[in-house]
Amino acid sequence: MKPCAWMFLAALLLPAAAGAQTVYVPNEKSGTVSVIDAATDAVVGTFAAGGRPRGIALSPDGATLYVSDQSANALLVIDARTRRVMASIALGKSPEGIDLSRDGRWIAAAVEEDNAVLLVDTSAMKVVASMPVAGMNPEHAVFSPDGRWLYVSAEDGAQVDVIDVASRSQAGSVAVGRRPRGIAFVPDGSVAYVACELEGKVYAIDVATRGVTASIAAGEFSNGVVAGAGRVFVSNGRSASVTVLETGTHRLLATIPVGQRPWNMAMTPDGRKLYVANGRSNSVSVIDPLTLAVTREVAVGEAPWGVAAGRAVP
């Protein structure tokens, strides 16, 4: 293995996640969630999750799964062991992406037709704030690693709105390309990457200054983003590929063919596998982030929307 690959692996594994890991995939048209054992990449279960599951997040201990159900305009709180819905929390109309703060305290839900982001207290299991954003039809709301900021992309916009979590209000916005979708922060929170679908580019934002430092060509209809310490992965819906860039230099490292309409993605906590939801292939591509090769195609339900990867429930 080349020295840079070792450095990349070391960065991903610090701190490393120990033990078994599980991957969850919401299937938008099937109304189900597929469960994948990250050790074998085998589907070990499928369970019902509302009528149209989209956004998905897993608690740090692996015990609780959160899923936005567009058909019910609700956040489903699911026991990962029994795979049963413990609670349904009303959101606004047409919820999409959700994100869980690192400490597991808050869920942020982007609600399209309300042009707002809702903040859910995971202990009280209730909405505690509704925060309007400037962008129309927000799709993703992502916490910075320190939990201070929420970056919000809007399908009908060309900016990323920045929410101050403490004040629960918009603190500013950053102009990017048309139709921003996926957002990912590097581990130290200094840079955020935003994929803009209609530009076929990913934009690097300096979090301290809220300025764009680079716009990098990816593929056609760029949408999902995962950022590690040394590499950025961008899914390209129309190109059926994942672009891999080196952080800092933004040098192109690879273009990896995957299934049709790759959408949202997630890395396992140990950094050893990247899972890509392929919406039109009804599959998940498994990528080795060191060799930058697809190691497995896993059949799931119809129209997989995203991926959550984390600790397996004990």
Side-chain angles (χ1 to χ4, degrees), residues 154-180:
E155 186 173 349
D156 295 326
Q159 84 277 347
V160 171
D161 294 322
V162 181
I163 290 176
D164 183 316
V165 176
S167 69
R168 298 176 182 177
S169 62
Q170 184 166 334
S173 62
V174 182
V176 291
R178 295 169 298 161
R179 193 174 289 172

Side-chain angles (χ1 to χ4, degrees), residues 235-262:
S235 63
N236 307 301
R238 185 171 285 178
S239 299
S241 66
V242 171
T243 298
V244 188
L245 303 168
E246 185 177 64
T247 56
T249 67
H250 300 140
R251 179 170 61 95
L252 176 65
L253 299 177
T255 300
I256 306 169
V258 291
Q260 295 300 308
R261 206 208 75 171

Side-chain angles (χ1 to χ4, degrees), residues 28-284:
E28 188 173 8
K29 291 187 178 179
S30 298
T32 61
V33 171
S34 299
V35 185
I36 299 172
D37 181 345
T40 63
D41 292 329
V43 174
V44 294
T46 302
F47 61 90
R52 194 175 179 186
R54 286 175 164 177
I56 192 164
L58 183 64
S59 63
D61 62 3
T64 307
L65 194 67
Y66 302 91
V67 177
S68 66
D69 179 13
Q70 189 270 345
S71 66
N73 296 323
L75 178 71
L76 306 181
V77 183
I78 298 170
D79 184 310
R81 181 189 296 278
T82 64
R83 301 170 186 171
R84 293 182 179 177
V85 175
M86 298 185 292
S88 178
I89 301 169
L91 300 175
K93 194 171 182 181
S94 191
E96 285 221 35
I98 63 173
D99 193 37
L100 181 67
S101 60
R102 293 284 181 92
D103 60 7
R105 181 180 179 186
W106 307 110
I107 283 278
V111 183
E112 279 189 304
E113 296 189 32
D114 288 353
N115 292 320
V117 173
L118 301 189
L119 194 64
V120 177
D121 184 322
T122 59
S123 296
M125 289 194 184
K126 67 178 183 179
V127 174
V128 296
S130 177
M131 301 166 288
V133 291
M136 299 294 290
N137 294 328
E139 181 166 335
H140 290 282
V142 179
F143 285 99
S144 59
D146 61 7
R148 183 178 179 185
W149 309 109
L150 271 169
Y151 273 33
V152 185
S153 62
E155 186 173 349
D156 295 326
Q159 84 277 347
V160 171
D161 294 322
V162 181
I163 290 176
D164 183 316
V165 176
S167 69
R168 298 176 182 177
S169 62
Q170 184 166 334
S173 62
V174 182
V176 291
R178 295 169 298 161
R179 193 174 289 172
R181 289 200 183 271
I183 302 169
F185 289 85
V186 297
D188 69 5
S190 61
V191 178
Y193 288 91
V194 182
C196 292
E197 187 173 60
L198 296 184
E199 308 292 348
K201 293 180 178 179
V202 61
Y203 291 73
I205 298 173
D206 183 294
V207 172
T209 65
R210 291 186 196 152
V212 171
T213 59
S215 61
I216 311 108
E220 288 188 89
F221 279 30
S222 304
N223 41 62
V225 187
V226 167
R231 295 177 181 179
V232 180
F233 300 83
V234 185
S235 63
N236 307 301
R238 185 171 285 178
S239 299
S241 66
V242 171
T243 298
V244 188
L245 303 168
E246 185 177 64
T247 56
T249 67
H250 300 140
R251 179 170 61 95
L252 176 65
L253 299 177
T255 300
I256 306 169
V258 291
Q260 295 300 308
R261 206 208 75 171
W263 202 238
N264 297 302
M265 308 180 289
M267 187 88 71
T268 52
D270 65 6
R272 296 182 184 277
K273 293 182 179 181
L274 177 71
Y275 291 82
V276 184
N278 301 314
R280 290 196 181 129
S281 294
N282 300 332
S283 69
V284 171

